[in-house]
Amino acid sequence: MSDNTSLTVSRFPAQEAGPPVLLVHGFASDGHTDWITTGWPAALTAQGRRVIVPDLPGHGSSPAPKDATAATAKAMLDELARAVGNVSEVDVIGYSLGARLAWDLPTLLPVRRMVLGGISPVEPFGALDLTAVMAFTTGGKLSADPLTAAISRMISAPGRDPIALCRCIEGLRVEPFAPTALDLPVLFVRGEEDPISQGIETLVDLVPGSELVVVPGDHGGCLRGARFKAAALEFLEA
């Protein structure tokens, strides 16, 4: 794969003591917020790892998808593969939506090891009232449904593009998360107070020999906690 992705990608060089590491952020976030400000590239480059941090379509500094077809899981996966480029091996760390996308990256890239944090075992956008979400972003009432309300607030936060994120939701709903078995080393991480990753054990069962680490915190706290980072760094060093 050549580096002809449309995504905005931050790259951190190192002395190549191991495969590069791709960091894939969560929904309604970006690479800078999830990874760079929390010190992940610095920790990985200190271990001799080159680091690749893209912003997904409609997130951060990457262009907004022109329509839902440009924001399906397949479209996002293709862009991530192009961001990585031509490598003999790559390690992947994904969080939340990033973990969901990372699950299918071994079909496109020579993934050696993966760390999947904050991943939901079910399709999170399937039960969402997208019409109500879109209405809220243009001044409508907040939905009484807790999930719809939470997503509505999330995509309307300062600095986010609610129209682009609605297109992402629409595109991701086209291809609901339907994980199949993986045959590579995987570390699963969930926060002990994270409702999104409840039931993650069903995913662990799909990956023989995988590990599950439960760390303190809710969905955001897990990502930013020292325990998650320490477990991931140790796992990738194996």
Side-chain angles (χ1 to χ4, degrees), residues 26-219:
F27 178 71
S29 187
D30 54 70
H32 187 266
T33 301
D34 277 7
W35 305 116
I36 298 173
T37 63
T38 51
W40 285 79
L44 287 161
T45 55
Q47 292 186 337
R49 298 300 196 93
R50 180 163 58 93
V51 181
I52 305 163
V53 187
D55 287 343
L56 292 170
H59 294 71
S61 299
S62 286
K66 62 183 184 300
D67 53 34
T69 61
T72 62
K74 181 182 184 305
M76 292 190 185
L77 287 164
D78 287 343
E79 291 289 357
L80 290 172
R82 284 191 283 269
V84 172
N86 188 17
V87 295
S88 58
E89 284 186 318
V90 63
D91 288 337
V92 180
I93 305 176
Y95 196 78
S96 197
L97 172 60
R100 169 204 166 161
L101 294 171
W103 192 284
D104 292 320
L105 272 175
T107 64
L108 299 175
L109 290 170
V111 179
R112 184 187 73 109
R113 286 181 165 246
M114 287 204 300
V115 179
L116 305 179
I119 186 172
S120 171
V122 298
E123 172 51 56
F125 298 125
L128 194 69
D129 184 344
L130 185 55
T131 300
V133 172
M134 297 175 72
F136 179 75
T137 66
T138 56
K141 292 182 178 180
L142 189 65
S143 172
D145 172 63
L147 175 62
T148 300
I151 296 296
S152 298
R153 291 192 184 99
M154 186 183 299
I155 70 171
S156 302
R160 292 171 183 161
D161 184 339
I163 295 176
L165 292 173
C166 280
R167 287 177 185 161
C168 290
I169 294 171
E170 188 178 0
L172 290 165
R173 281 156 58 113
V174 171
E175 301 166 348
F177 184 45
T180 56
L182 292 175
D183 185 19
L184 75 162
V186 176
L187 173 67
F188 292 90
V189 183
R190 69 171 297 265
E192 59 186 354
E193 300 169 24
D194 179 13
I196 291 176
S197 57
Q198 288 287 344
I200 195 173
E201 293 80 6
T202 62
L203 298 178
V204 176
D205 290 342
L206 291 174
V207 190
S210 62
E211 304 174 45
L212 171 62
V213 174
V214 179
V215 302
D218 56 12
H219 197 61

